[in-house]
Amino acid sequence: MEIPEEIEDWIESIGGMERIIGNLPDEKSLENRSRTYKALSDPIRLKILHLLSMHPLCVCLIKQAVGISDSKLSYHLSVLKSAELIKGVRKRNWIIYEITEKGLRYVD
Amino acid sequence: MEIPEEIEDWIESIGGMERIIGNLPDEKSLENRSRTYKALSDPIRLKILHLLSMHPLCVCLIKQAVGISDSKLSYHLSVLKSAELIKGVRKRNWIIYEITEKGLRYVD
DNA sequence: TCACCATTTCAAGTTTTTTTGAAACCGCAA
DNA sequence: TTGCGGTTTCAAAAAAACTTGAAATGGTGA
């Protein structure tokens, strides 16, 4: 396999392809990061995240703001929650969702 | 619809639900952001991004580092490229991919 | 206990993304 | 030209994500 000279020199200088490959993040952390990004990869979910960055809210108000069906909202909340971007705490009849530290890093 | 008192007060204080909804990012920018995140939501693509953050590389070397088939690699490169996280420039027989400014913001 | 409200769960259907292998493309050198 | 290496494109199949409406859950107050 031929490769461009400039690149070949760089690889040489850095200690070979093995070294380069060794510098890549491990599978585990790539998986983790990609899972977070997947949770963020939907406009509805980004909207919810923004909303919750202003103040914790019950599902019924999130629903009012986002304008989708209960079960659809519930699905998206669960995606954000398993990515630990939001968390929900029960309060009487409601579940109040709030953004996490981690979630906050992805808004604005 | 009943809602928790503390939340009701907050909504009141900020000028009502309409004001809150008005503060959300517009659909367009939510779509854009979610599209970027979608491109980042795969471990293979994150790995490629990391790799290219070290140095521009031809497809054949990316392939060596990532260890997947040509067409699969090409697919993932195209996803990263349409999100403008990387760009490719032709050089003789090769196409050299390099990370963009934007791409750089998402590595490390 | 019962009925009710807010919310989640479930299963089925739909859409989108990813994988695969074969075929095509493109520039170059013989 | 012709052939070749490097890379992309294509179409079909597989897998994953999303949507839908109906049914279930779980706490609460009567």
Side-chain angles (χ1 to χ4, degrees), chain A residues 51-108:
Chain A
L51 192 59
L52 295 181
S53 76
M54 306 185 203
H55 198 275
L57 291 172
C58 58
V59 176
C60 48
L61 284 171
I62 301 174
K63 173 175 175 175
Q64 199 179 124
V66 177
I68 57 179
S69 73
D70 286 340
S71 62
K72 190 169 174 178
L73 177 53
S74 210
Y75 167 71
H76 286 292
L77 288 172
S78 81
V79 172
L80 288 169
K81 193 165 124 192
S82 19
E84 296 177 296
L85 295 163
I86 65 173
K87 66 182 178 191
V89 305
R90 179 137 224 149
K91 192 172 188 177
R92 291 190 47 205
N93 241 331
W94 306 285
I95 298 176
I96 314 293
Y97 280 96
E98 61 185 281
I99 198 166
T100 60
E101 279 283 313
K102 179 180 174 186
L104 223 33
R105 294 209 300 272
Y106 295 99
V107 35
D108 286 343

Side-chain angles (χ1 to χ4, degrees), chain B residues 59-60 71 74 97:
Chain B
V59 176
C60 48
S71 62
S74 209
Y97 280 96

Side-chain angles (χ1 to χ4, degrees), chain A residues 17-58:
Chain A
M17 224 33 206
E18 310 69 34
R19 186 81 113 264
I20 291 163
I21 293 170
N23 268 346
L24 293 171
D26 57 277
E27 294 302 325
K28 194 96 185 181
S29 83
L30 291 171
E31 293 272 345
N32 276 338
R33 238 142 68 68
S34 69
R35 228 177 288 122
T36 298
Y37 285 132
K38 189 165 311 242
L40 292 164
S41 70
D42 182 294
I44 292 176
R45 294 198 289 268
L46 287 182
K47 191 184 275 192
I48 294 171
L49 216 57
H50 260 276
L51 192 59
L52 295 181
S53 76
M54 306 185 203
H55 198 275
L57 291 172
C58 58

